Amino acid sequence: MLTDIEIAQQAKMEPIVKVAEQIGLKEEELELYGKYKAKLSEDVWERVKDNPDGKLVLVTAINPTPAGEGKTTTTVGLAQAMAKIGKNTLIALREPSLGPVMGVKGGAAGGGYAQVVPMEDINLHFTGDFHAITAANNLLCAMVDNHIMQGNALGIDPTKIVFKRVMDMNDRALRQVVVGLGGKINGYVREDGFMITVASEVMAILCMAKDLKDLKERLGRIVVGTTYDGKEVKASDVKAEGAMCALLKDAIKPNLVQTLENTPCLMHGGPFANIAHGCNSVQATKIAMKLSDYVITEAGFGADLGAEKFLDIKCRVADLKPSAVVLVATVRALKYNGGVAKADLAEENTEALAKGIVNLGKHIENLRMYGVPVIVAINRFGQDTDAELKLIEDYCKENGADFALSEVFAKGGEGGVALANKLVEVLDKNEANFAPIYDADAPIKEKINTIVTKIYGGEGVIYTPAAEKQIAALEEAGYGKLPICMAKTQYSLSDDAKLLGRPEGFKVTIREIRAFAGAGFVTAYAGNIMTMPGLPKAPAAERIDIDESGVITGLF
């Protein structure tokens, strides 16, 4: 079979103006970035805001293996299949980060015959959104350090600055740094560090903001640190929000691209699903719902992270009402959850599959708590055996779960027709009664306990002394009524990556609590979450190349 990039380079793309016509967009409402990419102008929302909403379908997954399980591929393929059966469908996706593209993933725009194109542009620089976010983030850092050097009128404590610099690349050497070396002219010497751009609060803010005015207000609420007497210092205190917003004036506009089969896709934003909420922008999702009858979107990592945050944070804040959830499951991920090593996942092992399939069962239970119908998409890989696939199908039947086999990687939209028909059938016969699983006005500890006990299946929560103090301070400061964003490993329902399947009897330890006031949530850290990844021993960048004709190879 051809590689992903070879398939993408053979695609017959339509001019983006023609793709826009499918969803009723006018040429003058597009800001073109070449022939195949465009941003939507701010006029689009004003014209379509009174249109009826299309049905919103979330694609999520069981707990993944380190290799990933094809959630984006399923999202793209399902949308292609919906178009193939005659449904007016639009995709809403996140943008890839350069760090993972050059690190492990080597590309993140779907796979096989279910990809978003132009694949090379999307994976490398796209329309420059992440660079604008990086610049806005680092402008705030520069202004804080400059304020301290220029007399420090606010009395900022340099040892209590919590807002870090970012770059969109995996570079472990920058996790902890010392800035200001070289004498007084270079500023105040202090410890600092870098995060990857997708972990920046600016990224989360961009994806939560409803317009430029809201964006600027949210940027102004970013907490950068505290003064010597313990008072919060915000971006607005150093007068940074206006310039930051100016840097983001184009980045806030959703991007329009297409799939291999010319299905339109709005691709915008890309917050991490552990530190942040792991969803594409509110703007892109809401516009998509006004432009189509069906919107297929995704949330990062497994349902215990991405889906929970989509449903409890994004839908709550943006007043979204999802109509259904598609839960991606794979034979290999369930075998992994049953104890099979990554290197052995290609071998048939129904015993391990039967052991690990309880992970699927827990995610089905969890999603049903939100009052939305659930469809299991069994994402088929070439090495899957009939016996293994039948075991998953039988399990779904026993648990009363709708399901369909998905072969979109190998067959594109045609391979997703069964899943598309099942989705339409479920949507037609089921009325969603969506509701978040906790009251945002509840105390912080109560909200965390609800997530841990209901979604993760844990017995309770342990708080470090530091976390106890932070919770008290946050509630006193008025942040207690914000939604909770849990930061934990994606590989387990628990906070221990080694506890696979459906662990029981565990407690989750919260070591730190921080308010991301601009983004509008409180993040609870369960374990040491990496905000600046490192490159693997053999990074994907080693295989990426370009020839004298400008043809890129190695993205996959």
Side-chain angles (χ1 to χ4, degrees), residues 218-543:
R218 287 175 176 272
L219 291 169
R221 293 199 295 267
I222 293 174
V223 177
V224 298
T226 58
T227 63
Y228 286 110
D229 57 3
K231 181 182 177 183
E232 281 185 343
V233 179
K234 299 181 180 179
S236 58
D237 294 323
V238 294
K239 301 179 175 62
E241 72 274 27
M244 292 173 72
C245 192
L247 286 169
L248 298 170
K249 70 178 181 64
D250 293 320
I252 194 175
K253 301 170 185 175
N255 307 293
L256 177 65
V257 285
Q258 63 189 292
T259 73
L260 294 173
E261 298 177 14
N262 314 121
T263 307
C265 172
L266 292 181
M267 183 173 256
H268 194 216
F272 261 17
N274 41 20
I275 297 299
H277 59 296
C279 312
N280 69 289
S281 75
V282 165
Q283 275 204 342
T285 303
K286 297 192 83 164
I287 290 175
M289 292 174 69
K290 298 296 184 182
L291 292 172
S292 62
D293 297 328
Y294 299 88
V295 175
I296 314 296
T297 191
E298 68 160 355
F301 293 139
D304 53 319
L305 283 172
E308 186 274 315
K309 294 171 185 181
F310 176 89
L311 298 166
D312 282 320
I313 299 176
K314 180 176 177 177
C315 289
R316 185 197 307 269
V317 172
D319 193 26
L320 298 172
K321 300 285 192 293
S323 297
V325 177
V326 173
L327 177 63
V328 178
T330 63
V331 167
R332 68 178 190 177
L334 291 173
K335 288 193 292 190
Y336 183 83
N337 273 279
V340 176
K342 182 180 175 182
D344 301 324
L345 290 175
E347 300 174 12
E348 181 178 273
N349 191 331
T350 53
E351 182 179 343
L353 178 59
K355 180 182 177 182
I357 205 166
V358 291
N359 185 265
L360 171 61
K362 176 56 176 164
H363 286 296
I364 293 171
E365 289 177 23
N366 288 350
L367 293 168
R368 284 173 172 167
M369 292 183 201
Y370 291 93
V372 291
V374 181
I375 304 102
V376 176
I378 306 171
N379 184 23
R380 184 171 194 169
F381 283 73
Q383 66 269 30
D384 298 343
T385 68
D386 290 342
E388 291 173 326
L389 293 169
K390 185 177 185 302
L391 195 156
I392 299 177
E393 292 174 357
D394 290 345
Y395 184 85
C396 289
K397 291 175 184 176
E398 292 166 9
N399 286 271
D402 288 292
F403 67 92
L405 191 68
S406 174
E407 298 180 276
V408 297
F409 181 91
K411 300 178 181 179
E414 188 62 40
V417 167
L419 178 59
N421 284 327
K422 176 60 68 175
L423 174 60
V424 172
E425 174 193 324
V426 169
L427 289 171
D428 287 346
K429 73 179 182 181
N430 293 281
E431 189 70 32
N433 187 26
F434 168 72
I437 61 164
Y438 60 76
D439 182 352
D441 290 341
I444 289 175
K445 282 188 175 182
E446 183 179 321
K447 288 181 283 196
I448 293 174
N449 189 68
T450 297
I451 295 171
V452 169
T453 56
K454 286 190 174 183
I455 300 299
Y456 305 161
E459 285 190 348
V461 187
I462 299 170
Y463 297 93
T464 65
E468 292 276 10
K469 292 179 181 178
Q470 290 161 349
I471 290 172
L474 290 174
E475 292 187 330
E476 185 178 348
Y479 296 125
K481 295 184 178 181
L482 294 178
I484 298 296
C485 180
M486 294 290 287
K488 75 168 187 72
T489 177
Q490 66 267 36
Y491 297 122
S492 171
L493 283 160
S494 73
D495 58 348
D496 181 350
K498 296 178 181 178
L499 292 181
L500 303 178
R502 183 174 181 166
E504 296 178 345
F506 65 90
K507 291 187 177 182
V508 169
T509 299
I510 303 299
R511 65 175 182 83
E512 182 184 359
I513 308 276
R514 278 189 60 191
F516 290 88
F521 49 71
V522 169
T523 295
Y525 293 81
N528 186 23
I529 305 301
M530 189 60 63
T531 58
M532 171 52 85
L535 293 172
K537 186 173 183 179
E542 293 181 357
R543 299 182 291 278

Side-chain angles (χ1 to χ4, degrees), residues 101-116:
V101 167
M102 296 294 172
V104 174
K105 283 189 174 182
Y113 289 91
Q115 296 186 60
V116 182

